[in-house]
């Protein structure tokens, strides 16, 4: 799930990837069949391996990646790394809340939207405490004015 969200953020930033990815609303927010097929192909080529629902680049994948980096600007590589770091230690509900609130056009087919948004205040507080989002963004994710969010965070 986090892989799809990471690719979505990258595609939102890099237009050529956005065009190729073709994200659609899905049961857990934005989903790209192209991204799913791409990672499946990388796994079959031995460039990526999956462990405990996480993807890891293999040594062969690192060698190929070093050659592929020239397709991106330094700014794009920095942004991609930032997206990875942003999502790295988030819980499933924190990731989903961030995407459901930030990208509401991708919630229509969600299977867990109501459950996630019922717990939006604690998830937003956690994102803020992890320094993943600003106070304003955390309040937005919580669905509260900043002052009320601060009050709920202190409670």
């Amino acid at each position: 799930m986090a892989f799809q969200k990471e690719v979505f953020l990258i595609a939102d930033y890099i237009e050529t990837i956005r065009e190729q990815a073709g994200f659609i609303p899905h049961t857990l927010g934005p989903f790209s069949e192209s991204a799913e097929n791409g990672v499946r192909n990388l796994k079959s080529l031995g460039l990526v391996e999956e462990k405990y629902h996480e993807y890891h680049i293999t040594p062969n994948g690192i060698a190929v990646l070093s050659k592929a980096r020239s397709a991106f600007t330094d700014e794009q590589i920095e942004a991609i790394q930032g997206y990875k770091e942003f999502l790295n230690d988030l819980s499933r509900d924190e990731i989903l809340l961030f995407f459901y609130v930030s990208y509401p056009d991708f919630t229509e087919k969600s299977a867990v939207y109501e459950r996630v948004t019922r717990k939006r205040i604690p998830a937003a507080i956690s994102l803020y405490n992890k320094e993943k989002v600003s106070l304003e963004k955390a309040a937005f994710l919580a669905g509260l004015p900043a002052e009320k969010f601060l009050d709920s965070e202190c409670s």
Side-chain angles (χ1 to χ4, degrees), residues 2 12 40 42 53 65 70 75 90 94 97 100-101 112 126 131 134 136 138:
D12 194 44
R40 204 173 294 125
L42 293 172
H53 304 290
L65 178 62
S70 63
E75 183 180 278
L90 299 185
E94 290 168 342
L97 177 68
Y100 287 164
V101 176
V112 295
S126 179
E131 299 181 353
S134 67
E136 293 78 16

Side-chain angles (χ1 to χ4, degrees), residues 2 24 27-28 34 40 76 84 95 106:
I24 59 169
T27 57
L28 295 176
S34 296
R40 204 173 294 125
Q76 290 171 329
K84 289 177 64 58
I95 292 171
F106 290 91

